[in-house]
Amino acid sequence: MRSDVMKKGLERAPHRSLMKAMGYTNEEISRPLIGIAHAQNDIIPGHVHLNTIVDAVKAGVRIAGGTPITFGTIGVCDGIAMNHTGMKYSLASREIIADSVEIMLQAHPFDAVVMVPNCDKVTPGMLMAMLRVNIPAVMVSGGPMLTGRFRGQDVHLVSVFEGVGKVKANTMSEEELDELEDAACPGCGSCAGMFTANSMNCLTEAIGLGLPGNGTIPAVAAARIRLAKQAGMAVLDMLEKDIRPRDIATKEAFENAMAVDMALGCSTNTVLHVPAIAGEAGVDLPLSSFNEVSKRAPHLCSLIPGGPHSLQQLDEAGGVQAVMKELLSSEAGLNVEVMTVTGKTLGENLERAKVHDSVVIKPVAAPYHKEGGIAVLYGNLAPDGAVVKQSAVSDEMLKHAGPARIYNSEEEAQEAILGGEIRSGDVIVIRYCGPKGGPGMPEMLSPTSAIIGMGLGKSVALLTDGRFSGGTQGACLGHISPEAAEGGPIALVLEGDQIEIDIPARTIKLAVSEEELQKRKADWHPPEPKITSGYVNRYAKMVTSGSTGAVLK
């Protein structure tokens, strides 16, 4: 066993002595030592209950004959960090999470590991570490939050963000917003809807690194506790069979996951995380591959925020496994021979899968959209690409042209939107918010929600070299690369320049000649760093483009 190097033999008596100081018996030390990496804390709603998930995993490990050993890592709540300096640290936390889990797994050579994340950067960070270290591993998330109820309607976190815009537009009173605030997030779990956390937990299941149900079983369900126990047992089975993460996370498995991404209408942040995770497995997923998959994988589920259905309804309809079963008859061409953490192939897993609600999971023959949920646009404004969640864009905004309204920070743009300075037809440009310029590529749920709340969602576009929350809807194009801080074309746009967006054609164009852009480039100077010390200052010097997953050099 891998753990023998720290526990077996005469020379390891001091090591065993330290383990006995924590109460471990000889019997426990002699068994397979199973690490349980978790991110339980009291600041993230999706993580506040992870102690119960961890306890269930520990029970499963013991049932299967192993010794569970827990350790923690950090996590950032994107919702609480939103629209202030804290958001500059969110994406950057992914690398710290990956590194910290790697450190723990290498410094203490566990035989296998179960990972227990839930929210936005913790899931991809742990997956990166899982593939980097490559010991038998299973991931089990904390599960999605239930939707809230407000005056007979399903509501969620984004409802509150949009409520701020409605108050500014005088279509909602502050008293109503107070009532909504109390109702929108009814308890623990990753925020209700196909936002980034739930997107990544569903894709973990689709890749095969999480058990069936990982992405959709509600946080408060007893089935989630049972799933956690099964994860603890499954990792011992993987250890016995020597099935490792890189045996599962092959190129074919990632292509399967991208097809599920398109069918579910996942967050645009998956375009950052999936290539970064794949890179740890030695699999190259260029940004253009998302367009290739989108063309052949239909959009089958209309989920919050772009549609009416919740994660709970998706779970009741059959969950991710049912979506994959339906995709088998599409041009997406799922590879059913890939291995999964069940110890069985995807094809074997899907034998029991069934769609229970064809409204929540549409048939391939009658999808919500023939193309998948995400599109990558190219043009002289984004030579290396821009990403949009096309499934959440109204038909009126699939093609749009208008004058640029320039803001060099999210705060400036938010003030302008809430101050009534934006007019129908405008194209808001928020720049110097990329991986280097942000720094940390801050997520922008506040301005996009304000646009929707103020009734501009069907007449205004928003472009940024930063990124968007999975809760974003509307013609919002992010990840524009190269970013402004590196002198990308987005840095050269002037107030009033005409910008043309054509999502079906996958193009984004700045109506300015190449000669004029070269003149502007000659007068451009790199901005001063917004943060001059500490971790994100170092991160900004090392991070790559959003088009390559914003990984570190």
Side-chain angles (χ1 to χ4, degrees), residues 49 133 137 228 242 262 285 296-297 301 357 367 429 439 458 468 488 498:
H49 69 303
V133 178
D242 194 28
M262 300 305 166
L285 287 182
R296 64 176 189 264
C301 302
D357 188 332
V429 177
K458 295 184 178 181
F468 297 117
Q498 191 79 356

Side-chain angles (χ1 to χ4, degrees), residues 200-246:
M200 291 309 305
N201 290 326
C202 286
L203 295 189
T204 298
E205 181 180 339
I207 294 168
L209 294 172
L211 292 171
N214 180 71
T216 58
I217 295 173
V220 296
R224 176 62 57 177
I225 301 298
R226 295 196 297 271
L227 187 75
K229 290 178 181 178
Q230 290 161 0
M233 292 184 278
V235 83
L236 270 296
D237 182 58
M238 293 182 68
L239 178 62
E240 182 180 350
K241 295 175 179 176
D242 194 28
I243 299 172
R244 299 172 182 248
R246 291 186 200 170

Side-chain angles (χ1 to χ4, degrees), residues 5 34 51 116 171 175 191 262 325 415 445 473 520:
V5 300
I34 310 301
N51 57 322
V116 187
T171 58
E175 291 75 18
C191 294
M262 300 305 166
K325 184 72 169 280
E415 184 177 349
L445 182 54
Q473 55 179 310
R520 295 181 188 181

Side-chain angles (χ1 to χ4, degrees), residues 329-365:
S329 58
S330 76
E331 294 181 10
L334 297 190
N335 187 310
V336 296
E337 299 302 320
V338 295
M339 181 54 63
T340 72
V341 292
T342 64
K344 300 177 181 178
T345 65
L346 175 63
E348 291 173 311
N349 290 345
L350 294 184
E351 288 175 4
R352 298 179 60 186
K354 185 178 180 181
V355 175
H356 301 296
D357 188 332
S358 59
V359 174
V360 176
I361 303 174
K362 287 276 195 178
V364 165

Side-chain angles (χ1 to χ4, degrees), residues 463-481:
L463 314 181
T464 182
D465 52 5
R467 61 192 180 90
F468 297 117
S469 161
T472 293
Q473 55 179 310
C476 299
L477 283 68
H479 309 199
I480 289 180
S481 301

Side-chain angles (χ1 to χ4, degrees), residues 1-8 29-33 109-111 239:
M1 289 190 291
R2 184 174 186 261
S3 61
D4 285 349
V5 300
M6 67 174 172
K7 71 181 187 183
K8 195 171 185 180
I29 295 170
S30 68
R31 293 173 181 171
L33 302 184
F110 298 107
D111 297 300
L239 178 62

